[in-house]
Amino acid sequence: MSRRSEAKKARRRKRRAAAEARWIPEPALDELAELTLDVQDFNDVILLRGWTIDQEYSGDGLVTWYYPPSGIGTDDVDVEPVTRIWVTPADGGEWVHTVLVGTTEEFVLAPDEFIEELERIESYRAGDPVPSFE
């Protein structure tokens, strides 16, 4: 096979892998249909910033993402090994639940507040002073 054909196949594989990484399971999307937040747009924004859908913990109407650059190695099951978020519906809108790496406290923010705080959330590392999101 020629180099040009191999390069074309490699580009195709890369595009398919990127599309699969952005994919939210259909049952999860169906069960989140009551959300007014466009979950797919939200998903696209955070995936572009390096977040990953956590297939293991997503399902039954819940989609959760984690931020791999924040990860730590820990044997303590009481703390989160990565910064993690999930979205839930609520009266008057949706909420983004956030647990920072190395902590147990859950912060609940409106989607627009979450986007405003996204840089601080992503830059947080275990052991840093926990920011206040009030």
Side-chain angles (χ1 to χ4, degrees), residues 9-131:
K9 285 183 180 184
R11 287 190 302 273
R12 184 177 301 130
R13 283 192 299 270
K14 185 176 178 181
R15 281 193 308 272
R16 285 183 182 161
E20 288 171 5
R22 291 190 307 268
W23 175 77
I24 297 176
E26 283 300 321
L29 279 179
D30 292 344
E31 293 166 3
L32 292 172
E34 70 271 14
L35 295 177
T36 56
L37 169 71
D38 187 332
V39 177
Q40 191 63 53
D41 286 347
F42 182 82
N43 180 60
D44 291 346
V45 167
I46 62 174
L47 289 179
L48 286 173
R49 295 183 60 99
W51 291 77
T52 300
I53 293 175
D54 192 336
Q55 298 291 342
E56 182 178 346
Y57 293 105
S58 295
D60 296 329
L62 176 74
V63 178
T64 181
W65 297 263
Y66 64 93
Y67 192 60
S70 70
I72 60 170
T74 181
D75 293 330
D76 187 349
V77 296
D78 293 329
V79 298
E80 203 49 60
V82 290
T83 296
R84 178 176 306 282
I85 62 171
W86 63 97
V87 179
T88 60
D91 291 336
E94 291 77 41
W95 301 102
V96 180
H97 301 257
T98 305
V99 178
L100 298 172
V101 62
T103 69
T104 59
E105 186 176 353
E106 179 182 323
F107 298 95
V108 182
L109 303 167
D112 58 336
E113 294 171 327
F114 174 79
I115 296 299
E116 289 173 13
E117 297 291 349
L118 190 53
E119 191 169 317
R120 280 196 327 151
I121 292 167
E122 291 173 344
S123 66
Y124 178 81
R125 295 298 181 261
D128 290 352
V130 177

